[in-house]
Amino acid sequence: MQATEKIWMNGELIDWDDAKVHVGAHGLHYGSGVFEGIRCYETDAGPAVFRLTDHLRRLHQSAEILHMELPYSVEELRLATHELIALNGLSECYVRPIAFYGYGELGVHPRSNPVDVALMTWPWGTYLGQDALDKGIRAKVSSWKRVGPNTIPHVAKATGIYLNSMLAVIEATRAGYEEAILLTDDGHVADGSGENIFVVKDEVISTPHLSASILPGITRQVVIEIAHTLGYAVHEHHLIRSDLYVADELFMCGTAAEVTPVRSVDDHEIGDPGPVTKAIQDVFFAAVRGRDERFSRWLEYPEKTPAAPGS
Ligand code: PMP
């Protein structure tokens, strides 16, 4: 992780090295936090944050699910994000908002703990490498099942739930694969450790339904809309493991992973990225860099500071 100058923490801009929490923080002991992963891209009109407001709304929704009251509104966090990116002088970066129960009591119930909120920004290139974007990755179905909706609500992007993803990706990489695919307890395809999944078969695009314990990915919505624009129908329904093995094309998507082709699952060869994947990938990268007018509404630029009266 590349350090930048400042971190926004509880309303203040502090030096990167001073952004610390007490070891007694509730969030550290019980994973009681919510977070987001957002990308800011360089465009001809300057740095633009991709779907910033939607990500911050999801942060608020995740907090609500955990009975956590965020002390900052979507609008306050939105302005703070733009301010921080500018202050750190970044033209392209990853943005990580996090909110967690902080230092106070250490009982499981966080009744009197403060809610701490921080924003970090730093340069983060491709998540799985340029090769992954160009040629695709090898994935493995995990022996770990995705956390079910009545265990921890999967709709919340909560810190603690990521133990599930961490175990899965460690298992997959130790076995020589690049990414894990998790199934639900009843055998439906859910998502990757940090990505949603799309299958192309006979020119029909499918993706697991929101009820399959997936995180409702913002990139997933983006891909669905791009696919519609390209004239493809997208079916959201339950998929099973063998649907992955016999797919014509397969790809994963997420803020970090962007649109990453999958070239094999459990050693069933799917092959080089196919035409549908490539078409979606091309439009995606044009959209995030402000080169596709049809999707310019997804890019959020810092507001120009209004001129002072009389100036
Ligand atoms: N599924 C999981 C488990 C994730 O962690 C992520 C990354 N946030 C996604 C899907 C993709 O979500 P998004 O497109 O909003 O980044």
Side-chain angles (χ1 to χ4, degrees):
M1 181 178 211
Q2 188 184 323
T4 54
E5 207 176 317
K6 297 283 182 191
I7 285 178
W8 182 97
M9 206 168 171
N10 296 326
E12 285 174 33
L13 290 158
I14 55 177
D15 288 344
W16 180 278
D17 288 337
D18 294 337
K20 294 186 177 141
V21 292
H22 196 280
V23 288
H26 191 280
L28 187 61
H29 294 256
Y30 305 119
S32 55
V34 294
F35 69 108
E36 273 302 317
I38 311 172
R39 273 191 192 268
C40 168
Y41 288 94
E42 186 166 8
T43 75
D44 288 344
V49 188
F50 193 65
R51 301 196 66 165
L52 174 60
T53 304
D54 291 327
H55 278 283
L56 294 173
R57 284 197 186 123
R58 189 172 65 181
L59 183 77
H60 266 260
Q61 183 181 286
S62 300
E64 194 187 326
I65 293 170
L66 300 198
H67 301 283
M68 177 188 277
E69 224 169 280
L70 291 189
Y72 300 95
S73 65
V74 166
E75 183 57 10
E76 285 168 323
L77 294 173
R78 193 182 69 78
L79 293 173
T81 303
H82 285 307
E83 188 186 1
L84 185 65
I85 292 169
L87 203 76
N88 284 331
L90 299 164
S91 54
E92 191 152 306
C93 65
Y94 188 78
V95 182
R96 167 58 54 87
I98 184 164
F100 55 95
Y101 285 115
Y103 177 74
E105 299 302 320
L106 210 43
V108 172
H109 194 312
R111 50 175 64 80
S112 58
N113 295 64
V115 174
D116 288 322
V117 185
L119 294 169
M120 304 168 76
T121 58
W122 73 96
W124 195 358
T126 55
Y127 184 61
L128 296 161
Q130 189 59 43
D131 244 25
L133 292 176
D134 295 341
K135 298 189 190 125
I137 56 162
R138 297 176 62 243
K140 179 189 187 309
V141 172
S142 182
S143 70
W144 297 101
K145 300 292 171 268
R146 186 80 161 104
V147 168
N150 294 315
T151 307
I152 305 175
H154 56 87
V155 168
K157 195 169 166 63
T159 57
I161 206 172
Y162 276 80
L163 277 181
N164 185 221
S165 287
M166 187 191 85
L167 288 168
V169 74
I170 288 176
E171 179 189 67
T173 51
R174 280 188 169 213
Y177 300 84
E178 278 108 42
E179 185 52 292
I181 294 175
L182 291 95
L183 307 180
T184 63
D185 256 336
D186 51 3
H188 296 126
V189 176
D191 43 16
S193 70
E195 309 87 3
N196 291 114
I197 298 172
F198 283 80
V199 170
V200 185
K201 180 77 178 170
D202 299 330
E203 306 216 335
V204 174
I205 305 177
S206 305
T207 193
H209 190 262
L210 291 178
S211 64
S213 294
I214 64 169
L215 183 80
I218 288 172
T219 322
R220 175 182 180 275
Q221 279 174 27
V222 163
V223 164
I224 291 173
E225 212 167 318
I226 290 175
H228 286 162
T229 306
L230 293 173
Y232 293 101
V234 179
H235 299 275
E236 296 176 57
H237 58 104
H238 283 317
L239 295 166
I240 53 173
R241 185 173 187 156
S242 50
D243 290 324
L244 307 176
Y245 298 165
V246 299
D248 296 333
E249 299 181 37
L250 198 62
F251 63 89
M252 290 177 143
C253 70
T255 300
E258 299 170 306
V259 177
T260 298
V262 178
R263 52 179 314 112
S264 73
V265 178
D266 292 345
D267 301 320
H268 290 274
E269 200 61 22
I270 295 153
D272 289 333
V276 178
T277 306
K278 279 210 223 149
I280 289 174
Q281 215 184 23
D282 285 350
V283 176
F284 174 82
F285 282 114
V288 297
R289 296 224 147 77
R291 296 193 197 121
D292 192 325
E293 287 279 301
R294 293 170 296 182
F295 304 113
S296 54
R297 67 186 183 284
W298 288 338
L299 293 170
E300 300 188 29
Y301 298 88
E303 266 84 12
K304 305 274 173 277
T305 314
S311 67

